[in-house]
Amino acid sequence: MEGRAARSVKKPAARHIPEATVARLPVYVRTLLGLADEKTSTISSERLAELAGVNAAQVRKDLSYLGSYGTRGVGYDVEYLLFQMSRELGLTHDWPVIIAGVGNLGRALANYGGFGERGFPVAALVDADPKKVGKAIGGIEIRHVDDLPDIVAEHHAAIGIIATPAAAAQDVADRMVAAGVSSILNFAPAIVTVPDGMSLRKVDLAVELQILSFYQQRRTEPDADRTVASAGGEG
Amino acid sequence: MEGRAARSVKKPAARHIPEATVARLPVYVRTLLGLADEKTSTISSERLAELAGVNAAQVRKDLSYLGSYGTRGVGYDVEYLLFQMSRELGLTHDWPVIIAGVGNLGRALANYGGFGERGFPVAALVDADPKKVGKAIGGIEIRHVDDLPDIVAEHHAAIGIIATPAAAAQDVADRMVAAGVSSILNFAPAIVTVPDGMSLRKVDLAVELQILSFYQQRRTEPDADRTVASAGGEG
DNA sequence: CGGACTTTGTGAACGCAGGCACGAGCGGGG
DNA sequence: CCCCGCTCGTGCCTGCGTTCACAAAGTCCG
């Protein structure tokens, strides 16, 4: 119930946090980082909600899952909240990632320095094409996908990014799992399955565009009872 | 209630389709395209569910929102279902898209030919940097962001993709809206708001990685009552 | 020192989404 | 022609997520 007063660093018993809340935490973190930059020391749930694009009650409920870190009548201490959330999200140390597939997307991800800055350095690039192996992109050497077990062990990498063509996605995922990766972010337009207990998320650009197309279609169409609704951006 | 028997092309009164269903339709379409390629003419909800990575009852419920296009005791006609879903999603014609921001990501998106093939040709690239204007990427000329209204009008583009730095995202979104774009896909790590009635979706790589980091953290941590749960891939 | 004001934390209600289970309807075989 | 088996379509139930509304708790000022 305190922990803030005593500035306790202990984690409050790892309660269960709803997935929807977990998905919003990174947004709060980013917002808070911006506030910290401009020397804001305290923030109310209402203002944070506005900046993060959600409901104020939602913010309070989300933050309450982490613990009672607010002060009634005042708000939340930006730095302290940031610290707690970073710890909860595991952002207190780096998470090296392995990118599989050096195509257009893989190259862009490798060149994009933003990951490293945000705590997700690219540990290695892998590809199945022997002709690409040995070259480097963004200062990172491309290695063969067969080396995955070694790479994972070398870098203690637990997160894999699949940026291969759809046909290779499941195979690469299986290899990653076998090599010890336990979190996968899949960009390939294919359904990938992983064993229980692992994390899998997907980002599918074509799907996103087609969802937009659906609502666009309904708006444009001179049809019947079209119920215009905002295509809720992210659940 | 029939429409399949008579091969009717009329749309069944545009009932309301839940957003969760809309998000799965593109996956079904992709799966069906694969089936059509290998000359499968009929598919059961169970098999389609397996291929799409969802529950069979879910498939049937989803498809029932479109109409009663199945045949009891048999399944769904692949071609016909594909036709209906494509029409519903608005994939019967192209949707030109405008990409704003020619950085790493913008370049990758422009170079990636997959969009054009899937019905989302890149109509134009825009950037605020005069030095980039006039150059071309992937065969598409870069124009200045001030030209947005003209570009939208020329190409009848209704979909915009934001691939700018976070700081510019809201401004670009506002310009797009003013120019007549009514669907936006935001890749910038920033909260963007648009007027009611418009569609906005976001894809945030840092957020995705941080969500993975959260669950990874909980798995790795030698802490208390960690409840290992799969980080549900996409809602 | 006390009272008014502010903001959190959370109980309760509501709505959406997912999954089971079963009736309805269609095709095929005898 | 009838019966059997298969698969769709959907009513119902359950669980999750969101929002409202309010009591609890702290601050500030006179």
Side-chain angles (χ1 to χ4, degrees):
Chain A
M1 273 307 192
E2 57 259 63
R4 187 228 176 296
R7 219 66 173 184
S8 159
V9 179
K10 231 177 107 236
K11 195 179 298 185
R15 70 205 75 187
H16 181 256
I17 300 183
E19 190 173 322
T21 295
V22 173
R24 278 187 295 269
L25 292 183
V27 178
Y28 297 144
V29 167
R30 184 194 297 145
T31 306
L32 290 171
L33 283 173
L35 290 167
D37 270 356
E38 51 186 54
K39 309 293 181 211
T40 307
S41 63
T42 289
I43 181 100
S44 69
S45 62
E46 191 151 3
R47 178 122 178 74
L48 180 53
E50 193 184 335
L51 294 173
V54 297
N55 181 292
Q58 182 109 268
V59 168
R60 290 199 295 276
K61 185 150 282 190
D62 284 344
L63 299 191
S64 77
Y65 288 120
L66 306 180
S68 288
Y69 296 145
T71 306
R72 294 164 196 241
V74 177
Y76 300 88
D77 182 286
V78 173
E79 288 290 349
Y80 188 62
L81 198 51
L82 204 39
F83 165 70
Q84 291 294 348
M85 295 183 64
S86 297
R87 185 165 51 84
E88 199 74 46
L89 283 170
L91 305 181
T92 50
H93 63 82
D94 281 1
W95 292 99
V97 301
I98 298 174
I99 298 176
V102 187
N104 242 305
L105 181 58
R107 262 193 298 272
L109 293 176
N111 275 319
Y112 175 56
F115 288 157
E117 293 166 24
R118 289 169 184 272
F120 298 92
V122 179
L125 297 167
V126 301
D127 202 292
D129 183 353
K131 286 195 291 288
K132 290 179 181 168
V133 173
K135 298 180 182 176
I137 291 181
I140 302 137
E141 188 192 10
I142 301 173
R143 296 176 64 176
H144 194 270
V145 67
D146 288 343
D147 291 346
L148 264 176
D150 291 345
I151 299 171
V152 170
E154 282 168 30
H155 296 90
H156 297 286
I159 300 179
I161 296 181
I162 298 180
T164 65
Q170 183 63 58
D171 180 56
V172 168
D174 293 344
R175 284 159 172 265
M176 281 184 171
V177 171
V181 166
S182 48
S183 295
I184 291 180
L185 181 54
N186 177 32
F187 283 93
I191 301 299
V192 166
T193 60
V194 296
D196 272 4
M198 292 205 32
S199 297
L200 171 67
R201 296 189 62 86
K202 74 170 180 190
V203 173
D204 193 320
L205 309 189
V207 166
E208 295 298 327
L209 285 175
Q210 289 177 14
I211 294 171
L212 289 179
S213 161
F214 173 86
Y215 291 105
Q216 187 68 40
Q217 162 95 345
R218 292 223 154 179
R219 269 196 298 273
T220 315
E221 210 166 49
D223 229 26
D225 69 291
R226 65 211 156 95
T227 316
V228 177
S230 185
E234 175 91 344
Chain B
M1 275 304 191
E2 57 258 63
R4 187 227 175 296
R7 220 68 175 183
S8 158
V9 178
K10 233 177 106 234
K11 195 179 296 185
R15 68 204 78 189
H16 182 257
I17 299 182
E19 190 172 321
T21 294
V22 173
R24 279 187 296 269
L25 292 183
V27 178
Y28 298 145
V29 167
R30 184 194 297 145
T31 306
L32 291 171
L33 283 173
L35 289 167
D37 269 356
E38 49 187 55
K39 309 294 181 208
T40 306
S41 63
T42 291
I43 182 102
S44 70
S45 63
E46 189 150 3
R47 179 126 178 71
L48 180 53
E50 193 184 335
L51 294 173
V54 296
N55 181 291
Q58 181 112 269
V59 168
R60 291 199 293 277
K61 187 158 283 190
D62 284 344
L63 299 192
S64 77
Y65 288 120
L66 306 181
S68 287
Y69 296 146
T71 306
R72 294 164 196 241
V74 178
Y76 300 88
D77 182 287
V78 172
E79 288 291 349
Y80 189 63
L81 197 51
L82 204 39
F83 165 69
Q84 291 294 349
M85 296 184 63
S86 297
R87 184 163 53 84
E88 199 73 44
L89 284 170
L91 306 181
T92 49
H93 62 83
D94 280 2
W95 292 99
V97 301
I98 297 174
I99 298 176
V102 188
N104 244 304
L105 182 58
R107 261 193 299 273
L109 293 175
N111 275 318
Y112 175 55
F115 288 157
E117 293 166 23
R118 290 170 184 272
F120 297 92
V122 179
L125 297 167
V126 300
D127 202 292
D129 183 354
K131 286 195 292 287
K132 290 180 180 167
V133 173
K135 297 180 181 176
I137 291 180
I140 302 136
E141 188 192 9
I142 301 173
R143 297 176 63 176
H144 195 271
V145 67
D146 288 343
D147 292 347
L148 265 176
D150 291 345
I151 299 171
V152 171
E154 282 168 30
H155 296 90
H156 296 287
I159 299 179
I161 297 180
I162 299 180
T164 64
Q170 183 63 59
D171 179 56
V172 169
D174 293 344
R175 286 159 171 265
M176 281 183 171
V177 171
V181 166
S182 48
S183 295
I184 291 181
L185 181 54
N186 177 32
F187 282 93
I191 302 299
V192 166
T193 59
V194 296
D196 273 5
M198 291 206 31
S199 296
L200 171 68
R201 297 189 63 84
K202 74 170 181 192
V203 172
D204 193 319
L205 309 189
V207 166
E208 295 299 326
L209 285 174
Q210 289 178 12
I211 294 172
L212 289 179
S213 161
F214 173 86
Y215 291 105
Q216 186 69 39
Q217 161 96 343
R218 293 224 153 179
R219 267 195 299 272
T220 314
E221 209 166 51
D223 229 27
D225 69 292
R226 64 209 156 93
T227 316
V228 178
S230 185
E234 175 89 345

